[in-house]
Amino acid sequence: LNDNPSHYKITLSGTVKSPKMTFDPPFLMLMPVPLDVKTETAFKIIPQDFLRQSQIQVELPELELEDGDRIYPFSVQFPEGKDIVLSSDGRNKELICHISFRSSRPVSFLGNMFFIDEEEN
């Protein structure tokens, strides 16, 4: 360059990809069951564009009953772990999630559960 940068021009371009998760299936409906009987199902979490290892956290809903009591009838387990890992081919490994519901009181619920990474995405 010989102290004369006006003869050279460098142009850089790129694409920013934000980490995201998709779900298979995209929504769940658990079957009605008698009181104090567990119902459960499994689904896949498909992480995309995570460039470093992260761990999934789940925000489960608290339900308020007619008498004002609050319960947490949902539970979640990750049988193979909840770490988002980048494989050797550059893809993120799918995670298996088991979700279950059990309540000793009558309740129905329609709502969201939030799956977030360590950076609260």
Side-chain angles (χ1 to χ4, degrees), residues 31-43:
M31 298 306 296
V33 292
L35 293 178
D36 218 20
V37 172
K38 181 165 72 170
T39 182
E40 64 183 326
T41 192
F43 61 95

Side-chain angles (χ1 to χ4, degrees), residues 88-104:
S88 59
D89 66 358
R91 294 184 183 174
N92 297 121
K93 183 181 173 190
E94 293 179 350
L95 302 171
I96 302 296
C97 181
H98 290 251
I99 187 164
S100 64
F101 173 90
R102 180 188 301 220
S103 176
S104 59

Side-chain angles (χ1 to χ4, degrees), residues 2-105:
N2 295 334
D3 297 324
N4 193 353
S6 62
H7 291 284
Y8 300 94
K9 184 177 181 180
I10 297 174
T11 303
L12 301 174
S13 64
T15 303
V16 176
K17 292 185 177 182
S18 296
K20 63 182 176 181
M21 292 180 259
T22 56
F23 300 88
D24 182 24
F27 66 92
L28 296 176
M29 185 167 61
L30 297 171
M31 298 306 296
V33 292
L35 293 178
D36 218 20
V37 172
K38 181 165 72 170
T39 182
E40 64 183 326
T41 192
F43 61 95
K44 292 180 191 175
I45 299 174
I46 306 159
Q48 299 170 335
D49 301 324
F50 282 82
L51 300 177
R52 59 181 172 262
Q53 184 170 328
S54 189
Q55 192 173 79
I56 300 261
Q57 303 296 323
V58 184
E59 293 179 1
L60 297 174
E62 174 186 59
L63 305 183
E64 184 173 349
L65 303 174
E66 290 180 3
D67 64 1
D69 285 351
R70 296 183 175 277
I71 61 170
Y72 292 90
F74 294 99
S75 64
V76 172
Q77 294 181 350
F78 293 87
E80 299 172 7
K82 52 186 180 176
D83 290 332
I84 298 173
V85 178
L86 190 63
S87 67
S88 59
D89 66 358
R91 294 184 183 174
N92 297 121
K93 183 181 173 190
E94 293 179 350
L95 302 171
I96 302 296
C97 181
H98 290 251
I99 187 164
S100 64
F101 173 90
R102 180 188 301 220
S103 176
S104 59
R105 310 263 303 271

